[in-house]
Amino acid sequence: MTEERFDAIVVGAGMSGNAAAYTMASRGLKVLQLERGEYPGSKNVQGAILYANMLETIIPDFRDDAPLERHLVEQRFWVTDDTSHTGMHYRSDDFNEPAPNRYTIIRAQFDKWFSRKVRAAGAIVLCETTVTELALDAAGKVIGVHTDRAGGVIHADVVVLAEGVNGLLGTRARFRKVPKPEAVALAVKEMHFLPEEVINERFGLTGDQGCVIEAAGTISRGMAGLGFLYTNKESISLGIGCLVSHFAATLESPYALLDAFKNHPSIRPLLAGSEIKEYAAHLIPEGGFKAIPQLFGDGWVVVGDAAQLNNAVHREGSNLAMTSGRIAGEAIAAIKSRKHPMTSDNLSLYKAMLDKSFVLKDLRKYKDMPALLHTNSHNFFTTYPQLMSQAAQNFVRVDGTPKIEKERATTAALIKARSRWGLVSDAVRLALAWR
Amino acid sequence: MTASVVRIEDKLYQNRYLVDAGRPHIKVRQHQSPSPNLLALTVVCPAKCYEVNEDGQVEVIADGCMECGTCRVLCEESGDIDWSYPRGGFGVLFKFG
Ligand SMILES: Cc1cc2nc3c(=O)[nH]c(=O)nc-3n(C[C@H](O)[C@H](O)[C@H](O)COP(=O)(O)OP(=O)(O)OC[C@H]3O[C@@H](n4cnc5c(N)ncnc54)[C@H](O)[C@@H]3O)c2cc1C
Ligand code: SF4
């Protein structure tokens, strides 16, 4: 193995690594992919919603054999306080289309499937192999990798760092810093198993239709965070994630938070009688555009979560990972076909192509959002949700109070909690960050 | 809201691990008294790998670690801990993820 030389080494067999390895191998490059897990997916955690278009660009006929759980027909957004939720539900028959737009998946199974495609395209995939360090020449160019297997450096013209949010190799080589506590969320998640018919009945679904709930409010106890409930065929993925900096400041326990979310009166009946089969934890990059590190250098590129390419506002990550992996693969194949060397100058093609894609356009749009939610979390996640619940209850409860008095009470509660100036300034800042 | 006590052992019991016996992938540096972030890990680590021992020092037992990286983000830069991945194939093995 050590004698061999590869066109490209891909570190990691997650969403971005598989997309990159598949793209390069199917263009005839000699690709080695290294994954530390026992099998691809054994280290990976996701909600998980799969966005079909980005996978379709890579594997057009993925629907034929990919392990898909349900296609989504309904999305619920909930704002919670301790006893209630105020919600918006969007459900449309349009989503029952021949080629659905979004699916739920189970990552460990999906990653195994994706990896089979990568192998079929001609890449060599080696699991149970942790890359310990990048190999650099005297000029600082990446020339290969060191692994925890016996043998020396494995050489390649270019290394694709698809190593996920923790990205040890890139930080050890000083290509980027360890993520800051305010730029990553810690998510904890459980898999709750229930018979298919029970899920269908509880959520009003038929066949392989699915429904998802995203919830924000007092469930995160003043931290910037979000809870989610996703329906799979015979299970429900339930999780909650909050910024690491907020966990450290509030000293909330992640599993206690998850259990309180599970026991929320709006969630509990949806899970009743379920059997829990796994508990998982993972970080999510939430720093947005401003946290994106250098994306390429002499002999290397970085893709996916390792490059912080994750859209926290829209809960999208795997599609940005797949797209950045594909684009990196296309850029490398183009440089290779021109017989050019994998220098930083030439690899800047990757960044140029990524700039034109939705990946960097979307992240640029929300560049001010992370800072806003980071500093204002108590208002957005506790004060406003509580007020919203009060307002809704004022509106709904019929008790003989004249309506005009109810409206006044609602307005007064808002101003008391936040002051007129506070309300206006929150609204303006939110609007600017959203722009 | 709910006063129910959450037992982390019951949660981790669901998971599959291949522990690399005698080769912990996370180490805590010797210290007199723990820094605030190191102390925070006793609550914030989602697998409750960190505990304060009788000498008031924070120690780590990484057998139930899910390799999330939270402790790394909070404590690696200050030198409080050494963080690495387990050897290939070892550590947590998610069945669903
Ligand atoms: C709880 C949760 C819910 C989410 N929900 C959604 C969702 O619904 N929709 C969505 O689109 N996104 C979601 N995301 C985000 C999504 O999971 C990520 O954006 C995506 O997985 C990133 O892909 P990646 O390939 O960059 O990294 P990963 O998928 O993390 O893959 C990295 C791979 O590299 C391997 N690796 C790392 N270091 C080494 C090394 N040194 N040697 C060998 N191998 C190594 C790892 O084992 C791993 O397989 C969610 C994330 C979480 C945590
Ligand atoms: S990596 Fe995560 S689970 Fe493992 S010890 Fe650190 S905080 Fe705990």
Side-chain angles (χ1 to χ4, degrees):
Chain A
M1 173 72 54
T2 48
E3 305 308 318
E4 254 182 284
R5 198 191 159 79
F6 294 89
D7 292 326
I9 290 174
V10 178
V11 181
M15 289 290 194
S16 62
N18 284 338
Y22 182 88
T23 302
M24 293 188 289
S26 55
R27 282 166 176 68
L29 269 65
K30 192 171 164 195
V31 177
L32 173 68
Q33 188 182 32
L34 301 167
E35 165 58 48
R36 65 190 191 87
E38 184 182 50
Y39 47 86
S42 61
K43 300 291 182 184
N44 302 339
V45 180
Q46 197 182 321
I49 300 177
L50 173 78
Y51 304 96
N53 288 70
M54 291 80 195
L55 178 57
E56 209 165 14
T57 310
I58 302 165
I59 304 181
D61 57 358
F62 76 91
R63 291 184 180 84
D64 293 347
D65 56 358
L68 306 169
E69 292 288 312
R70 290 171 181 268
H71 79 270
L72 298 177
V73 298
E74 180 171 332
Q75 174 100 28
R76 307 181 185 176
F77 301 98
W78 286 3
V79 178
T80 63
D81 72 356
D82 287 348
T83 55
S84 76
H85 74 267
T86 312
M88 187 184 98
H89 292 195
Y90 184 68
R91 183 180 176 115
S92 172
D93 193 42
D94 292 349
F95 292 124
N96 290 313
E97 57 213 320
N101 178 251
R102 303 189 308 161
Y103 297 89
T104 47
I105 55 167
I106 292 175
R107 265 303 287 275
Q109 293 162 8
F110 181 86
D111 287 9
K112 273 191 208 159
W113 167 85
F114 204 164
S115 184
R116 282 198 297 275
K117 297 283 174 191
V118 171
R119 278 175 220 255
I124 299 175
V125 182
L126 214 55
C127 290
E128 302 189 292
T129 309
T130 302
V131 179
T132 49
E133 215 180 328
L134 293 171
L136 279 70
D137 69 9
K141 179 184 192 302
V142 172
I143 54 167
V145 299
H146 297 272
T147 75
D148 61 354
R149 290 197 178 221
V153 175
I154 311 176
H155 291 272
D157 292 342
V158 61
V159 174
V160 178
L161 293 166
E163 48 180 339
V165 59
N166 275 310
L168 276 184
L169 302 174
T171 53
R172 280 180 184 164
R174 298 184 194 282
F175 294 159
R176 68 187 115 91
K177 297 221 161 83
V178 177
K180 296 256 171 282
E182 60 273 18
V184 277
L186 165 64
V188 284
K189 179 192 160 188
E190 275 177 354
M191 287 295 279
H192 288 251
F193 282 76
L194 281 167
E196 193 174 338
E197 318 79 69
V198 174
I199 294 177
N200 284 355
E201 197 177 320
R202 275 183 198 172
F203 293 87
L205 305 166
T206 48
D208 67 347
Q209 294 176 341
C211 161
V212 303
I213 303 174
E214 320 261 20
T218 58
I219 49 166
S220 66
R221 301 185 180 161
M223 299 185 276
L226 196 83
F228 62 87
L229 181 157
Y230 297 162
T231 54
N232 305 314
K233 223 170 254 157
E234 299 181 320
S235 62
I236 288 175
S237 304
L238 185 93
I240 185 163
C242 302
L243 287 179
V244 168
S245 55
H246 287 168
F247 270 119
T250 56
L251 294 178
E252 291 285 354
S253 136
Y255 41 92
L257 203 70
L258 180 65
D259 270 51
F261 181 43
K262 258 169 28 187
N263 283 312
H264 188 281
S266 299
I267 293 286
R268 197 172 44 217
L270 299 173
L271 300 173
S274 70
E275 187 192 351
I276 304 171
K277 292 198 182 170
E278 189 165 82
Y279 167 61
H282 206 278
L283 294 181
I284 308 177
E286 305 243 318
F289 188 75
K290 292 180 179 168
I292 298 174
Q294 177 67 29
L295 292 170
F296 59 90
D298 278 327
W300 63 274
V301 295
V302 57
V303 295
D305 276 10
Q308 292 262 341
L309 301 176
N310 201 302
N311 185 342
V313 179
H314 285 261
R315 319 307 300 167
E316 294 175 27
S318 67
N319 53 335
L320 281 69
M322 279 191 276
T323 303
S324 59
R326 170 181 62 80
I327 289 177
E330 286 173 0
I332 290 167
I335 298 166
K336 173 89 187 167
S337 73
R338 290 176 212 142
K339 300 200 163 42
H340 289 170
M342 296 294 163
T343 56
S344 181
D345 269 359
N346 289 334
L347 287 167
S348 70
L349 176 63
Y350 160 51
K351 169 79 165 46
M353 288 166 71
L354 205 60
D355 268 325
K356 291 204 195 105
S357 73
F358 79 94
V359 174
L360 288 184
K361 284 189 181 151
D362 282 1
L363 290 177
R364 194 174 281 119
K365 174 177 188 308
Y366 294 116
K367 63 185 185 322
D368 296 322
M369 207 58 146
L372 177 66
L373 294 180
H374 177 227
T375 48
N376 254 14
S377 67
H378 193 80
N379 291 330
F380 286 122
F381 294 92
T382 302
T383 311
Y384 288 136
Q386 280 167 343
L387 291 169
M388 199 171 214
S389 167
Q390 272 175 35
Q393 187 152 148
N394 263 350
F395 189 84
V396 174
R397 196 185 275 279
V398 176
D399 57 6
T401 314
K403 304 295 182 230
I404 187 83
E405 279 174 36
K406 287 189 163 209
E407 272 172 32
R408 270 194 210 121
T410 299
T411 314
L414 265 173
I415 292 169
K416 180 159 171 271
R418 211 39 209 116
S419 86
R420 248 176 237 284
W421 169 243
L423 286 171
V424 172
S425 106
D426 284 350
V428 169
R429 284 193 295 166
L430 191 64
L432 285 176
W434 195 268
R435 202 176 42 169
Chain B
M1 191 186 56
T2 45
S4 73
V5 184
V6 186
R7 277 176 36 98
I8 188 66
E9 297 80 5
D10 297 342
K11 287 190 185 294
L12 299 178
Y13 181 72
Q14 315 288 340
N15 294 353
R16 226 186 115 213
Y17 293 96
L18 198 64
V19 176
D20 199 355
R23 284 194 192 222
H25 60 283
I26 304 171
K27 294 190 190 88
V28 178
R29 187 182 57 180
Q30 287 291 318
H31 51 276
Q32 287 296 319
S33 56
S35 69
N37 274 4
L38 192 54
L39 202 57
L41 294 182
T42 60
V43 186
V44 166
C45 163
K48 203 164 181 7
C49 294
Y50 291 84
E51 277 188 19
V52 182
N53 67 17
E54 288 147 20
D55 307 328
Q57 297 212 340
V58 170
E59 52 181 31
V60 62
I61 297 175
D63 292 2
C65 173
M66 293 176 281
E67 298 157 32
C68 70
T70 301
C71 56
R72 175 185 183 225
V73 162
L74 284 172
C75 288
E76 192 187 53
E77 205 174 18
S78 58
D80 283 330
I81 66 168
D82 263 343
W83 196 90
S84 210
Y85 283 126
R87 276 195 297 159
F90 289 96
V92 71
L93 295 162
F94 291 121
K95 295 165 285 191
F96 308 107

